[in-house]
């Protein structure tokens, strides 16, 4: 007995038993599904850590792990970037936020603010260049009389009396820390914001010293936070980030400008990505389910068949989940996509079965005979489709891309699980459900009927022109495919409107804060210095930083200048007194207004006239508020005005005075929290390398990496991870695609024993892949980490359709026959629509990677259907022998 006959008998016996015991089968499968669901819940988890998804044993991953082991405090961190209108407010907010987060031990492991340390507060002036330090000294010399005057009367009366004297006598202008017009403009602007329900604050640090007294270039504050992560959750850092946002809200003061805190860094980027993926995927899933229901209702014209299909699909998904729990135990961000592929590919088996059953009802009055005939006729071709599709997915198992390797295992095996559930459960469900009448089974949509007839005649009658046109289109596509672009920068895959991505890109704009740097390790001090010197000579390198760069140059000269600054201040160097808030400034303000009225007629400079006029207007508004407010609001208003104008002055002066106590810095004198980030406990030095060019350009990225690796082969960090991951992923997919195509072709030939049939099945698959890649070039969609997984899914769908169509064309090659009205063709069409609907919603996701995947799959399905329904019949007309 032949294998074909044996399988037919086996299916016939199974059909007889299923039709005789439908209720038993349904109850048994539901019970097994309940156990599988419980097993899945207890044993399957989601690991959202993406660091080991690509080539975990490759050298570049080993180098990364080595650095992370030596400098663990810099891994899995959040970076908080603080910014406000004044550097004083930013510093104060940084200190407060650092304290709050340090106290939250349940959600935060460690907190480190690199700029907000006692060491830099005291020694910040030593990190300025000599010329910049001399500029600060000169500014302090100019401001010294002003500081002395205000320190004697630290309130609004003392402040306005300085303006009264400065405006009334040119000899007193030297008491001001800057040009009088510039200062008046700043005071006027601050008053306007404070009076008109705004929040103004004037920066005295900026006024007194042109260069930052900390020696840092950026006005931003930075806090590195190591959160407690829970990798069993979709968003491992969600609780920690919520705790950080609560702390951020608590440091905001109602009468001061807002301190904006951006949450970014490795963990922040991943959390925003996971949140966007979850929200976008959930929305897309709802959209897809609604669309799939609509498609099935149109295809079946039966609510009962639609319900049976969804029950079968649900049971299949449960068993697939149990297999995932048994085989991999943890789903990653890539392998979790097997659930989406099951919905797209798994439901197709039920569609084929139900549409064949619907057609068989028109031939067999008896429902049981229709079900048995459907089972025997569809099972062999569906099994062949599952086998070839699974091979295409299994081809990714040997690759070094762990995420896709597990996806291949789960998705490939799930095809067989879904098929077995379909063949076992669906006949039983159809037996229990009422059957459609023959009239209902024969009904078809008139429009679709007419369209399919015209399409059938067109493809077969114009076989040669279609084939020639396809050849031309293939040549054009080959030319376009050579221009396909790859983009493996994960930042470009994320939603550009999320907080973490905006902050990350802002950091990239500043060469001093850019995260796109390389890291090199050195075994000892001498090797570190030699290596740093060599690397700095490379054309693509802008600068390097190591522990030695925290030892300021020319310290003796700088300390002499600082000593002169301390002598200049004299007794004022003991500290600036606190502000007095219980003084009524009305009289002082009126005297300033009178002085302005006296000097305005003598002014000729337009800017000076405008400044004084504006200043007078704001002072008059202050008097109006004081006259109309009652206590205690009047007192609060005075306090707010004084805080806006003088609030930052004491801290700015005291910080400057503190920096006058700077002492010579040595390696051993550096604080431990700084040393441990550049020198490990094992005595390994870390060198950070900054690029000279923008690494968004792939050529600059490759040049930067290659040049540094010629000197330090074990270089690591983000540019290396992006570059090497890109190469590994491309190599993995090239390997898998070649294996899959060859294996599928060999299997098809082994089963069909016909070279022509094998080539015809493979043709739409290859053409659809070629046209899809060409479409990606035309639409400007680069291949990336996310959309590249569309290729195995398209491979499976293309093979399925090719097998079904070739089988049908062997029996229906006459132009008078409508090959598209067969249950097979209709199942292919509606199956493709359901698959497309599973991914179509993703194309509108804010996550750029998911959106590109949805777009690629949607374009791929279009080309698969075009190749299968138009090109393949035309090719078959020319090469297959058929009866006239």
């Amino acid at each position: 007995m032949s294998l074909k006959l044996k399988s037919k008998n086996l299916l016939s016996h199974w059909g007889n038993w299923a039709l005789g015991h439908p209720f038993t089968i349904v109850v048994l499968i539901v019970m097994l599904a309940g156990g599988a669901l419980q097993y899945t819940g207890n044993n399957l988890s989601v690991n959202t850590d993406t660091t080991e998804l690509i080539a975990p044993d490759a050298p570049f991953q080993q180098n990364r792990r080595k650095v992370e082991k030596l400098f663990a405090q810099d891994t899995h961190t959040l970076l908080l970037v603080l910014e406000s209108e004044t550097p004083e407010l930013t510093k104060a907010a940084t200190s407060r936020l650092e304290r709050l987060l340090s106290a939250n031990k349940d959600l935060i492991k460690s907190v480190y603010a690199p700029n907000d340390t006692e060491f830099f507060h005291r020694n910040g002036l030593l990190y300025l260049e000599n010329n910049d330090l001399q500029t600060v000294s000169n500014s302090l010399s100019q401001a010294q009389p002003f500081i002395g005057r205000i320190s004697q009367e630290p309130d609004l009366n003392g402040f306005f009396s300085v303006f009264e004297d400065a405006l009334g006598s040119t000899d007193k202008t030297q008491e001001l820390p800057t040009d009088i017009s510039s200062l008046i403009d700043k005071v006027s602007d601050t008053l306007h914001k404070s009076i008109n329900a705004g929040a103004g604050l004037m920066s005295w640090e900026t006024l007194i010293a042109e260069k930052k007294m900390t020696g840092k270039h950026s006005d931003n504050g930075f806090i590195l936070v190591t959160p407690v992560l829970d990798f069993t959750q979709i968003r491992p850092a969600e609780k920690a980030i919520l705790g950080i946002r609560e702390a951020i809200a608590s440091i905001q003061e109602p009468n001061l400008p807002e301190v904006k805190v951006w949450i970014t860094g490795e963990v922040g980027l991943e959390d925003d990505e996971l949140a966007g993926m979850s929200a976008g995927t959930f929305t897309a899933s709802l959209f897809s389910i609604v669309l799939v229901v609509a498609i099935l209702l149109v295809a079946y014209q039966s609510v009962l068949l639609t319900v049976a299909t969804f029950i079968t699909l649900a049971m299949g998904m449960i068993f697939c989940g149990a297999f995932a729990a048994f085989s991999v135990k943890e789903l990653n961000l890539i392998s979790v996509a097997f659930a989406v592929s099951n919905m797209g590919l798994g439901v197709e088996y039920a569609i084929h079965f139900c549409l064949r059953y619907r057609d068989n009802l028109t031939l067999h009055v008896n429902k049981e005979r229709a079900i048995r005939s459907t089972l025997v006729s569809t099972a062999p071709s569906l099994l062949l489709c599952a086998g070839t599709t699974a091979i295409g997915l299994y081809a990714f198992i040997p690759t070094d891309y762990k995420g896709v390797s597990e996806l291949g295992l789960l998705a490939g095996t799930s095809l067989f699980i879904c098929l077995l559930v379909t063949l076992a459960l669906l006949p039983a469900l159809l037996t229990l459900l009422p059957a459609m009448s023959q009239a209902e089974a024969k009904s078809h949509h008139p429009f679709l009927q007419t369209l399919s007839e015209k399409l059938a005649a067109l493809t077969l009658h114009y076989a040669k022109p279609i084939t020639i046109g396809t050849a031309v289109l293939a040549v054009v596509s080959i030319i376009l495919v050579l221009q396909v672009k790859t983009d493996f920068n994960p930042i470009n895959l994320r939603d550009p409107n999320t907080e973490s991505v905006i902050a990350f890109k802002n950091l990239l704009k500043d060469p001093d804060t850019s995260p796109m740097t390389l890291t090199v390790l050195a075994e000892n001090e001498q090797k570190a210095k030699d290596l740093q010197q060599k690397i700095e000579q490379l054309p693509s390198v802008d600068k390097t930083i190591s522990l030695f760069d925290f030892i300021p140059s020319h310290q003796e000269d700088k300390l002499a200048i600082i000593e002169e600054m301390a002598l200049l201040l004299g007794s004022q160097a003991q500290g600036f007194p606190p502000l007095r808030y219980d003084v009524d400034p009305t009289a002082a303000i009126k005297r300033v207004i009178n002085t302005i009225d006296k000097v305005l007629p003598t002014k000729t400079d337009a800017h000076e006239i405008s400044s004084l006029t504006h200043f007078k207007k704001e002072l008059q508004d202050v008097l109006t508020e004081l006259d109309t407010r009652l206590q205690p609001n009047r007192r609060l208003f005075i306090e707010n005005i004084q805080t806006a104008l003088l609030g930052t002055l004491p801290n700015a002066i005291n910080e400057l005075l503190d920096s006058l106590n700077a002492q010579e810095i040595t390696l051993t004198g550096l604080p431990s929290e700084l040393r441990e980030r550049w020198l490990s406990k094992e005595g390994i030095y870390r060198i950070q390398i900054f690029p000279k060019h923008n690494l968004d350009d792939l050529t600059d990225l490759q040049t930067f990496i290659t040049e540094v690796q010629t000197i330090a082969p074990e270089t690591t960090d983000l540019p290396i991870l992006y570059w090497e991951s890109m190469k590994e992923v491309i190599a993995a997919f090239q390997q898998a695609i070649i294996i899959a195509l060859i294996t599928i072709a060999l299997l098809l030939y082994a089963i069909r024993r016909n070279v022509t049939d094998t080539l015809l099945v493979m043709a739409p698959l290859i053409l659809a892949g070629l046209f899809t890649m060409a479409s990606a070039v035309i639409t400007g969609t680069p291949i990336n980490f996310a959309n590249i997984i569309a290729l195995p899914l398209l491979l499976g769908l293309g093979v399925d359709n090719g097998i079904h169509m070739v089988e049908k064309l062997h029996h229906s090659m006459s132009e008078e026959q409508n090959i598209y009205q067969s249950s097979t063709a209709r199942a292919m069409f509606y199956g493709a629509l359901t698959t497309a609907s599973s991914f179509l919603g993703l194309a509108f996701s804010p996550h750029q990677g998911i959106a590109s995947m949805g777009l690629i799959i949607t374009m791929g399905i279009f080309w698969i259907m075009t190749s299968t329904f138009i090109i393949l019949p035309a090719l078959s007309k020319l090469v297959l022998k058929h009866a006239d």
Side-chain angles (χ1 to χ4, degrees), residues 647-780:
T648 66
L649 182 59
N651 285 341
I653 299 300
N654 287 327
E655 184 177 330
L656 175 59
L657 297 177
D658 185 37
S659 67
L660 298 181
N661 297 317
Q663 297 178 352
E664 184 178 359
I665 299 174
T666 62
L667 277 178
T668 55
L670 292 173
S672 58
E673 63 267 23
L674 176 63
R675 286 174 57 88
E676 68 185 11
R677 279 170 163 76
W678 299 93
L679 176 62
S680 72
K681 296 177 181 179
E682 296 80 3
I684 304 298
Y685 289 81
R686 181 167 74 93
I687 302 171
Q688 189 175 13
I689 308 166
F690 291 79
K692 185 173 291 184
H693 305 291
N694 184 359
L695 298 190
D696 281 342
D697 185 281
L698 205 57
T699 303
D700 289 335
L701 175 68
Q702 182 180 5
T703 302
F704 180 50
I705 293 172
T706 304
E707 287 187 358
V708 175
Q709 284 182 332
T710 57
I711 296 175
E714 295 185 352
T715 302
T716 186
D717 226 330
L718 286 183
I720 293 280
L721 297 178
Y722 292 173
W723 176 254
E724 294 293 341
S725 296
M726 177 187 73
K727 293 195 297 184
E728 290 288 347
V729 170
I730 291 176
F733 273 83
Q734 287 176 341
Q735 172 191 347
I737 292 294
I738 292 172
I739 292 175
L741 290 176
I742 293 175
T743 308
I744 289 173
L746 292 175
L747 178 63
L748 287 172
Y749 178 74
I751 293 175
R752 303 195 70 89
R753 299 288 182 180
N754 188 307
V755 175
T756 302
D757 280 7
T758 301
L759 293 176
L760 286 174
V761 172
M762 299 296 293
L765 177 64
I766 296 173
L767 288 172
L770 186 63
F771 296 154
T772 301
M773 289 298 98
S775 300
V777 175
I778 294 173
T779 57

Side-chain angles (χ1 to χ4, degrees), residues 83 139 148 245 282 372 379 450 459 562 573 619 658 700 734 761 788 818:
E83 59 183 30
S139 299
R245 295 198 187 281
F282 178 75
R372 188 183 297 106
T450 304
T459 54
I562 293 172
L619 291 175
D658 185 37
D700 289 335
Q734 287 176 341
V761 172
I788 200 170
N818 186 352

Side-chain angles (χ1 to χ4, degrees), residues 32 54 69 72 304 334 394 399 472 518 584 622 630 642 679 697 868:
L32 289 174
I54 301 173
K69 182 179 179 181
L304 292 178
I334 301 297
Y394 284 153
T399 65
V472 173
L518 293 177
D584 190 335
V622 171
L630 300 176
Q642 181 163 297
L679 176 62
D697 185 281
T868 304

Side-chain angles (χ1 to χ4, degrees), residues 512-579:
D512 293 321
T513 60
S514 174
M516 291 295 284
T517 60
L518 293 177
T519 296
V520 174
L521 301 179
E523 297 177 357
N524 54 56
E525 180 177 337
Q526 189 57 48
K527 287 186 177 180
K529 291 181 177 178
D530 293 342
L531 193 58
Q532 191 173 3
Q533 185 177 10
K534 290 180 182 178
I535 293 174
E536 285 182 340
Q537 305 304 315
L538 296 173
S540 61
V541 173
D542 181 45
K543 65 178 180 179
T544 63
I545 295 179
S546 70
L547 184 65
F548 313 113
D549 292 294
F550 291 92
I551 307 300
S553 61
H554 309 294
Q555 292 192 65
E556 187 175 343
D557 296 337
K558 293 176 182 178
L559 287 170
I561 297 175
I562 293 172
E563 186 177 354
E564 290 178 5
M565 294 167 63
L567 292 173
L568 173 68
L569 289 175
S571 61
Q572 298 171 16
Q574 301 304 314
F576 194 89
L579 298 176

Side-chain angles (χ1 to χ4, degrees), residues 130-164:
N130 281 30
N131 292 338
D132 295 337
L133 181 58
Q134 190 62 58
T135 301
V136 171
S137 178
N138 296 337
S139 299
L140 183 61
S141 176
Q142 181 181 355
Q144 189 271 334
F146 171 82
I147 297 172
R149 178 83 175 267
I150 293 296
S151 64
Q152 297 299 317
E153 196 176 1
D155 52 34
L156 287 177
N157 279 334
F159 178 68
F160 286 124
S161 68
V162 173
F163 280 93
E164 179 187 357

Side-chain angles (χ1 to χ4, degrees), residues 399-436:
T399 65
D400 214 7
Y401 190 176
K402 181 183 177 183
V404 176
S405 175
E406 292 184 356
L407 173 63
L409 172 65
L410 296 178
T413 306
S414 295
L415 292 176
F416 292 109
I417 294 174
C418 289
L419 177 58
L420 291 177
V421 171
T422 299
L423 297 179
L425 179 60
L426 197 52
L429 288 174
L430 294 179
T431 303
L432 295 174
L433 294 174
M436 301 173 67

